[in-house]
Amino acid sequence: MNPAIDPRLIARLSTEFTSLGEQLNVLGRDLRTLHTQVLADFPGTATGATEKIDVQGAISQDDPQSDPAVPIAMTGAVAEQGIPPWTAPAYGPVPPSSGWSRPSVPVSGLAGGQGTAYPPVAGPVPPMPGRVQATVPPMGMSAGQMYPGGAPAWPGWSAPGGQQPMPSLPQQRRVVAGRPVRAPWWQREGVISRVLAVAGVAVTLIGVVMLLVLAAQAGFFGPVPRVVAGAVFSGALVAVGARVFAKAGGRVGGIALAATGIAGGYLDVVAMTTLYKWLDPVVGYVVAFGIAAGGVALAMRWRSQGLAVLVLAGAALLAPFVTTELALLGFLIVLQIAALPVHLVRDWPWLHVVRTLPAVLTTLVAVVGIALDSGTRAERFEVFAAAIVIAVAGLAGAVLSGRLRANDVTASLSFGAATVPLLAAPLLFSGRVAPTVVSGVFSAVLLLVAVVPWLPKLGAAARIPGHLAVVSALAGAVALFEACVGAVEVQTLPSALFIVAMGFLAVAGQQRSRFAAALGAAFGGLAALSFLFRADPGTLAAQPEAEAHLGLSTALSAVFLLAALVVAAWTARRLGLLDRESDATVLSVFAGIGGLYAVTALTVSLGVATGSGDGFLAGHGIATVVWMAAATAALLFGLRRLARRSQQAKVALVAGLILTGAALAKLFLFDLATLSGLLRAGAFLVVGVLLLVVGTRYARVFAEMDSRTRSA
């Protein structure tokens, strides 16, 4: 026996086959019993040997090898009923061409463990009284097809030559479950009712606004009847909605009626506060807060996000049609704050959007309008205060929801939208100090929220999710950019942006955060663009332009650019961006180009900053020497790595040769024509010596490689 075969597997298979055999034996006995009971209703004559079958399963066989035309005598319960024995008819010879043979069906598991072969019934079986006969097609043919011989299969038909076709088992067909057909959206349950309910809410609230505003403009009724009618109508809608909601099938209607009534009452308070001046703004805000909080509480009791959304959306969208004063900002902020506690209990993402966007958009419009129209000092501070409250409420909602549901991305996105008015708030103030302070403080708060997850104890206590930290960091980066623009002059802006970029890159390398690295790269790109704007190639090449725009500020920016490249290389290595040789090579080429440009700008700027007439020329002479030194370093690096890392070595050699050509071109085309005698001679001497060094080294390395190849 093969030792790789598991004996336990063989034993388990043997047990399963034994169980299967027993089940098949029981099935054979039951089928034979059913067969004998059915054929007992059709008496016939028999000749020859007999085989007695007991219905209970006992069987005795006189001659198992006898002719298949065997009379079967029923015994037991069947014999007691006086049923004569049934004789199996004899079959004629079957031609080989027909492809049919008389099957022998062994039935095992009967008395004595013997198997008996029973011939199939020849010819159609007469139908039983009261039953319908079904014609069974042969194997492989469907109902209604022709039997062999070309004749249809009906009772009494005989095949040519007296042969009778043998009926076969019905063909099993595989049933494939079809895809469920979805009904159109207008036929789905509850869709039309919801659409009609929302439309009813909108139309009814528009009617309430018309009652409060248009009737006043047309002089219909008095202020008191209009306000009282609106309040009574709203209260009646809420009462009817509660009754409808309590009945079967009244959920949609009850929610729509209650939402209409609550929003109508809120608009009534807005009109009393701003349109008719009956209530002090503070009192109006308090009453409005009570109505909004009551509507939200009812929505929580009914477990309906739709009710809360309809109340807030209806009141927020129609409130601007009642008043356009700055008090409108207060009523929209009241709606935003009133829905805050819901997020401690319910996961209603749409409520974040509905409670935040109306206040954000309205405040942003007010900021832009006041900035363009030069509003009063009081108006500026009111809008600024509204922007602060909106941002704080958005942060509170995001933190409350994030602590309970870490995957609530909608809350974080809503907080990002809530920061937009405060990011635009510096437009409200003139000068440089106030906008810089506003942006700086706001950026500090936002970036503090972003770094909280990295602080072990504070992060565990705050439980700020990652997506909220990302949104906060992005908004904080925008505010920090605003602070940089407002705090420094145009000349020093690249330096400030490079410093910020290095800060983000350092944090990214320390925490291995690719998002922080992306923010650092963004600030670095902005700094590089502003640096190129000040020190473009045309300015570096023309002495009048260089003396007019370059100086210590551009030299300092070039130094920070070089430092930022070093920090970026360290961060890229920490993040694994230099693991592949091809990526490291590409990044090294771009970093080398940026570094050479920064060195050129640095030398020229320092030369111009000296105030000497030859400072510009001296700076270019030094730049040429630096170019040739960099080319020499690249060539030596490539020659040293040529045997170990062929890709890096080839790229370094190609870059060194290109840079050597560029240095020589600058030396002969620019320096030769512009530099004075001593500077020109010094540049040529240094470049020539470096060329001799690198040429000698180049020849030696390839000679050694050639000798090793020949010896091998």
Side-chain angles (χ1 to χ4, degrees):
M1 183 176 179
N2 189 355
I5 300 177
D6 188 2
R8 293 175 296 181
L9 177 61
I10 299 299
R12 187 165 62 253
L13 290 175
S14 176
T15 304
E16 293 176 354
F17 275 112
T18 303
S19 176
L20 180 61
E22 294 176 356
Q23 295 178 4
L24 290 177
N25 291 338
V26 174
L27 178 63
R29 289 197 302 269
D30 293 342
L31 289 176
R32 181 51 53 193
T33 301
L34 178 64
H35 187 207
T36 55
Q37 290 178 356
V38 170
L39 296 182
D41 295 334
F42 308 104
T45 59
T47 60
T50 62
E51 186 177 49
K52 298 181 180 181
I53 304 177
D54 185 67
V55 178
Q56 303 299 328
I59 180 171
S60 63
Q61 185 176 359
D62 295 336
D63 186 9
Q65 303 297 331
S66 62
D67 188 84
V70 181
I72 302 176
M74 304 297 175
T75 62
V78 179
E80 293 177 0
Q81 298 179 5
I83 299 175
W86 172 79
T87 304
Y91 286 89
V94 180
S97 60
S98 64
W100 293 339
S101 61
R102 184 183 65 182
S104 178
V105 183
V107 181
S108 59
L110 301 180
Q114 301 294 328
T116 305
Y118 296 99
V121 180
V125 180
M128 294 184 180
R131 298 184 182 180
V132 180
Q133 180 182 7
T135 303
V136 181
M139 183 68 70
M141 299 179 64
S142 60
Q145 287 183 311
M146 303 296 291
Y147 278 88
W154 56 71
W157 171 79
S158 299
Q163 177 184 347
Q164 193 73 11
M166 183 188 70
S168 60
L169 296 176
Q171 184 178 6
Q172 296 182 354
R173 297 182 179 180
R174 182 181 178 183
V175 179
V176 181
R179 296 179 61 182
V181 180
R182 297 187 64 183
W185 65 270
W186 63 86
Q187 295 182 3
R188 297 174 191 170
E189 182 180 0
V191 173
I192 297 299
S193 61
R194 290 186 177 91
V195 172
L196 294 177
V198 173
V201 172
V203 172
T204 306
L205 289 178
I206 291 173
V208 172
V209 173
M210 290 181 178
L211 177 65
L212 296 174
V213 179
L214 298 183
Q217 294 177 356
F220 297 150
F221 311 109
V224 175
R226 288 192 293 268
V227 173
V228 171
V232 171
F233 183 66
S234 299
L237 287 177
V238 175
V240 174
R243 292 181 60 87
V244 172
F245 185 86
K247 297 181 180 180
R251 178 177 179 84
V252 175
I255 290 173
L257 291 171
T260 307
I262 296 170
Y266 195 90
L267 295 175
D268 204 31
V269 175
V270 174
M272 286 190 294
T273 305
T274 61
L275 191 61
Y276 303 123
K277 308 295 182 182
W278 293 352
L279 297 176
D280 185 78
V282 177
V283 178
Y285 295 152
V286 173
V287 176
F289 180 83
I291 295 175
V296 172
L298 183 62
M300 294 177 63
R301 180 180 179 183
W302 288 358
R303 299 177 181 272
S304 173
Q305 181 180 196
L307 176 58
V309 169
L310 286 176
V311 169
L312 268 64
L317 293 178
L318 293 178
F321 293 95
V322 178
T323 181
T324 57
E325 300 178 1
L326 288 180
L328 174 64
L329 300 179
F331 284 104
L332 296 179
I333 292 173
V334 165
L335 292 175
Q336 183 187 15
I337 297 175
L340 271 179
V342 178
H343 303 297
L344 292 173
V345 182
R346 306 292 182 199
D347 183 14
W348 290 351
W350 286 107
L351 194 61
H352 286 293
V353 180
V354 175
R355 73 179 181 84
T356 303
L357 285 185
V360 168
L361 295 177
T362 307
T363 306
L364 189 61
V365 171
V367 169
V368 175
I370 292 178
L372 297 177
D373 195 25
S374 300
T376 63
R377 181 181 177 87
E379 292 175 345
R380 293 174 183 271
F381 278 100
E382 287 180 6
V383 176
F384 178 63
I388 293 176
V389 174
I390 291 173
V392 172
L395 179 60
V399 171
L400 290 177
S401 181
R403 287 173 58 87
L404 301 177
R405 294 169 292 274
N407 58 347
D408 192 356
V409 182
T410 308
S412 299
L413 296 178
S414 299
F415 167 62
T419 61
V420 174
L422 195 53
L423 291 175
L427 298 175
L428 297 171
F429 305 99
S430 58
R432 305 176 62 90
V433 178
T436 302
V437 171
V438 171
S439 300
V441 173
F442 191 37
S443 65
V445 173
L446 291 174
L447 294 177
L448 179 61
V449 174
V451 301
V452 162
W454 290 339
L455 305 176
K457 295 183 179 180
L458 189 58
R463 288 183 295 175
I464 293 179
H467 47 79
L468 177 57
V470 168
V471 172
S472 182
L474 186 59
V478 175
L480 186 57
F481 176 76
E482 293 179 348
C484 292
V485 173
V488 298
E489 301 290 339
V490 178
Q491 295 83 356
T492 56
L493 179 61
S495 300
L497 295 179
F498 277 129
I499 292 174
V500 175
M502 286 189 289
F504 277 110
L505 291 173
V507 172
Q510 180 66 28
Q511 298 294 331
R512 288 184 170 85
S513 171
R514 298 205 171 192
F515 181 74
L519 291 178
F523 273 94
L526 293 175
L529 290 177
S530 61
F531 178 71
L532 284 176
F533 178 78
R534 295 289 301 172
D536 58 279
T539 303
L540 293 177
Q543 184 171 0
E545 294 292 331
E547 292 177 349
H549 298 93
L550 301 182
L552 289 178
S553 60
T554 51
L556 189 62
S557 299
V559 172
F560 284 125
L561 173 57
L562 293 173
L565 290 175
V566 174
V567 177
W570 174 76
T571 303
R573 185 173 297 277
R574 292 274 295 178
L575 294 178
L577 301 179
L578 303 181
D579 293 342
R580 292 193 302 178
E581 187 178 0
S582 57
D583 296 341
T585 302
V586 172
L587 293 176
S588 299
V589 169
F590 283 102
I593 294 174
L596 282 177
Y597 192 89
V599 169
T600 304
L602 174 62
T603 56
V604 175
S605 299
L606 289 176
V608 172
T610 58
S612 174
D614 295 334
F616 173 79
L617 302 177
H620 270 287
I622 297 174
T624 304
V625 173
V626 172
W627 284 23
M628 192 59 213
T632 303
L635 290 173
L636 294 177
F637 175 82
L639 293 173
R640 181 177 299 178
R641 295 293 184 93
L642 189 59
R644 289 181 292 176
R645 295 186 179 182
S646 58
Q647 183 179 3
Q648 282 188 354
K650 291 178 181 179
V651 172
L653 291 176
V654 171
L657 293 175
I658 293 175
L659 188 55
T660 300
L664 291 176
K666 184 177 182 298
L667 182 66
F668 284 97
L669 297 179
F670 183 82
D671 297 344
L672 186 61
T674 58
L675 297 183
S676 60
L678 184 59
L679 293 174
R680 185 189 307 131
F684 270 79
L685 286 174
V686 175
V687 171
V689 171
L690 292 176
L691 283 173
L692 290 174
V693 171
V694 73
T696 303
R697 180 60 179 169
Y698 203 94
R700 184 190 304 174
V701 169
F702 278 91
E704 292 175 355
M705 292 178 60
D706 187 44
S707 63
R708 284 196 300 267
T709 303
R710 289 180 180 179
S711 62

